[in-house]
Amino acid sequence: MSVVFLWSILISAITVFSPHASAKDYVVGPQAPLKELEEVPWESLEPGDKVLIHARLEPYRSKWVICRRGTTDQPIVVMGIANSSGQRPVIDGRDALTRSSLNFWSEGRGIIKIGGANRPADLIPAHITIANLEIRSARPPFQFKGREGLTPYPVNAASIFIEKGEDITISNCVLHDSGNGFFTSPQTRRILVEKCSIYGNGIEGSILEHNNYTSSEGITFQFNQFGPLREGCLGNNLKDRSAGLVVRYNWIEGGNRMLDLVDSHWKEPTSPEANYRETFVFGNILIKQNDQGNNQVVHYGGDSGRLDQYRMGMLYFYNNTVISERPATTVLFRLSSMQESVDCRNNIVWTTAPGRSLAIFDGNGTVNLYNNWLKKDWRKTHSTGQGEIHELGVLQTGDQPGWVDIARQDFRLQTNSQTLRTGSPLPEAAIKKHQLKFFYKPHREFESRPADRQHDFGALPILPVADK
């Protein structure tokens, strides 16, 4: 029996037997009271209500808005129930039908849209969970059937589009084949994206659509697998303009850049200054593919040209495993201005090309290098500029850091690796807010990180004895 199926049974049991008597379950599926998703009264969902969607052979071709509020104890839950083979229900945007009782603006921007409606009345949605669904195909040339009849999707449509909302969780979903896989606007707060597979999004020839494009006040990505964009699409993998951004324990492979962390769309950052000026990226596997895209792994700062709005803070980048398959140059960090800085420690950075192809940054800002493992013959920069790099720890170099099997992407460390227990203590900000608690487990799972492994380099654990 599959892990996905077991997970669905467990969560379904928890939700179906809710202690809140007033909550309703709307069950959708071939053998259920409701056969199609447009039969669900999306406009009148109440706290504790659950929409339980059973997998079927044909995809559901429906789209909707959620503009309602749950509570901490009684969230509104939309959950897929997998079949015996572990297959999630599929929500397909092609020729999808909007329920006639709904009326909301930007109807084409998402298959599932949260916030921004005329009917039901507009408000800030809250305490909503969307889980265990495959949501796909919101992009040209596909169309949907809405209040204005047959309507084409715009290029920036998303599988899930959150226009307004707070305390929203997207869990164990597959988001693909859309302009943007996941999208949030600045009127969103406290967003969690976990255990999702986000890949195959974008628009051919365009740099403006991405697997992920978010701008929230407080957003965390954890235990996700981000894959390459659709063929011919030039966007980034995870592009973000948020305050309070945390990217931890993810597998991120492909894209123009793996991480494009730039300035907010707010005229002035509305969140506490520290949340906008501190960004935490740790415990991730970042794989730069062999393609003709940008040579940068991480971009931090801004791209609007308005320097006063740039992040101008500290990127805490620790215990990541970075692999570049590019035959040409690779740049680990691009910092947008002299006001951006990186605290870089306990990472493994390796390239298939000779070490001289690897540069730490592009010449702007400040990079503080603590204990890290880098490919032998690495360079500080391939460019000119006023930026500085400070070597504040013990840098280890070599041809290979001691992984189990590079060809099979098994980046766990062998027990004889030189990178074991040789990292540096985490910075004070990380100790207070984001200590290392887990390892990413391929794929979209995690395991606890023992206390005695806190100072190992990289994102993944040593090879367990049982696997030798």
Side-chain angles (χ1 to χ4, degrees), residues 84-247:
S84 58
S85 300
Q87 295 175 323
R88 300 170 178 84
V90 177
I91 317 299
D92 196 314
R94 289 172 286 191
D95 300 319
L97 179 64
T98 301
R99 176 177 166 86
S100 60
S101 300
L102 299 172
N103 183 300
F104 55 102
W105 58 83
S106 301
E107 190 178 356
R109 287 293 307 276
I111 298 172
I112 299 178
K113 182 174 184 281
I114 298 178
N118 300 307
R119 190 170 61 244
D122 191 38
L123 47 71
I124 301 296
H127 301 290
I128 295 168
T129 295
I130 298 175
N132 208 35
L133 296 173
E134 178 181 342
I135 310 165
R136 69 188 189 195
S137 303
R139 63 173 176 86
F142 306 138
Q143 303 177 96
F144 66 93
K145 299 172 185 176
R147 68 179 186 273
E148 297 180 357
L150 196 61
T151 305
Y153 287 101
V155 294
N156 60 351
S159 291
I160 298 178
F161 170 39
I162 307 180
E163 184 166 0
K164 300 179 181 180
E166 57 191 17
D167 300 298
I168 296 172
T169 296
I170 311 298
S171 179
N172 204 39
C173 288
V174 178
L175 310 178
H176 68 113
D177 196 37
S178 295
N180 295 295
F182 181 64
F183 190 100
T184 71
S185 294
Q187 288 181 282
T188 56
R189 298 191 299 170
R190 297 186 297 276
I191 308 297
L192 174 63
V193 182
E194 64 176 7
K195 301 182 73 173
C196 290
S197 176
I198 305 177
Y199 70 95
N201 299 288
I203 298 296
E204 294 91 335
S206 175
I207 63 172
L208 301 178
E209 292 79 32
H210 318 281
N211 272 336
N212 178 92
Y213 198 177
T214 43
S215 182
S216 302
E217 184 179 334
I219 186 166
T220 297
F221 298 90
Q222 62 184 18
F223 318 129
N224 302 290
Q225 182 184 13
F226 290 85
L229 279 69
R230 286 197 308 121
E231 186 175 356
C233 299
L234 307 179
N236 299 302
N237 212 322
L238 194 163
K239 186 179 181 86
D240 181 84
R241 299 180 181 276
S242 300
L245 170 64
V246 178
V247 181

Side-chain angles (χ1 to χ4, degrees), residues 241 262-263 301-310 334 336:
R241 299 180 181 276
V262 289
D263 51 327
D303 62 2
S304 68
R306 295 190 58 178
L307 296 180
D308 60 320
Q309 294 183 185
Y310 281 18
R334 178 196 169 191
S336 300

Side-chain angles (χ1 to χ4, degrees), residues 238-293:
L238 194 163
K239 186 179 181 86
D240 181 84
R241 299 180 181 276
S242 300
L245 170 64
V246 178
V247 181
R248 62 189 182 192
Y249 319 120
N250 302 280
W251 183 290
I252 305 175
E253 182 172 6
N256 188 47
R257 298 184 180 100
M258 274 83 268
L259 299 175
D260 194 29
L261 315 179
V262 289
D263 51 327
S264 164
H265 280 148
W266 299 301
K267 290 183 179 179
E268 297 293 339
T270 59
S271 60
E273 186 80 0
N275 286 346
Y276 187 59
R277 308 300 180 196
E278 289 185 342
T279 300
F280 293 86
V281 176
F282 60 96
N284 303 284
I285 299 92
L286 306 172
I287 303 176
K288 187 79 174 167
Q289 291 188 318
N290 178 12
D291 55 32
Q292 301 302 312

Side-chain angles (χ1 to χ4, degrees), residues 11 20 52 430 435 451:
I11 299 300
H20 304 288
L52 305 176
Q435 295 191 41

Side-chain angles (χ1 to χ4, degrees), residues 335-361:
L335 306 180
S336 300
S337 74
M338 291 301 297
Q339 283 67 51
E340 273 81 41
S341 299
V342 180
D343 183 304
C344 177
R345 66 180 76 202
N346 301 352
N347 302 288
I348 297 174
V349 186
W350 181 82
T351 61
T352 56
R356 63 179 178 274
S357 68
L358 170 64
I360 299 302
F361 72 136

Side-chain angles (χ1 to χ4, degrees), residues 272-436:
E273 186 80 0
N275 286 346
Y276 187 59
R277 308 300 180 196
E278 289 185 342
T279 300
F280 293 86
V281 176
F282 60 96
N284 303 284
I285 299 92
L286 306 172
I287 303 176
K288 187 79 174 167
Q289 291 188 318
N290 178 12
D291 55 32
Q292 301 302 312
N294 200 295
N295 69 351
Q296 300 153 15
V297 177
V298 179
H299 177 206
Y300 175 74
D303 62 2
S304 68
R306 295 190 58 178
L307 296 180
D308 60 320
Q309 294 183 185
Y310 281 18
R311 289 181 182 260
M312 292 191 296
M314 180 67 74
L315 168 60
Y316 292 98
F317 190 86
Y318 52 99
N319 289 93
N320 299 288
T321 294
V322 181
I323 301 98
S324 175
E325 300 171 349
R326 285 174 53 86
T329 59
T330 296
V331 175
L332 182 57
F333 303 112
R334 178 196 169 191
L335 306 180
S336 300
S337 74
M338 291 301 297
Q339 283 67 51
E340 273 81 41
S341 299
V342 180
D343 183 304
C344 177
R345 66 180 76 202
N346 301 352
N347 302 288
I348 297 174
V349 186
W350 181 82
T351 61
T352 56
R356 63 179 178 274
S357 68
L358 170 64
I360 299 302
F361 72 136
D362 73 349
N364 292 319
T366 301
V367 176
N368 294 318
L369 279 180
Y370 293 87
N371 294 23
N372 294 275
W373 189 98
L374 305 175
K375 183 74 175 281
K376 184 175 64 177
D377 297 327
W378 62 277
R379 302 288 189 264
K380 291 184 177 181
T381 182
H382 294 314
S383 63
T384 60
Q386 299 177 338
E388 297 180 346
I389 185 168
H390 302 147
E391 296 184 32
L392 303 176
V394 178
L395 293 174
Q396 297 184 24
T397 63
D399 293 316
Q400 212 264 61
W403 289 321
V404 173
D405 193 332
I406 295 174
R408 298 177 60 185
Q409 293 191 321
D410 189 342
F411 301 117
R412 292 174 298 171
L413 297 170
Q414 299 182 63
T415 54
N416 61 352
S417 170
Q418 70 181 105
T419 61
L420 298 179
R421 294 186 177 87
T422 52
S424 61
L426 296 182
E428 183 178 355
I431 292 173
K432 288 182 176 180
K433 298 180 179 181
H434 298 292
Q435 295 191 41
L436 287 166

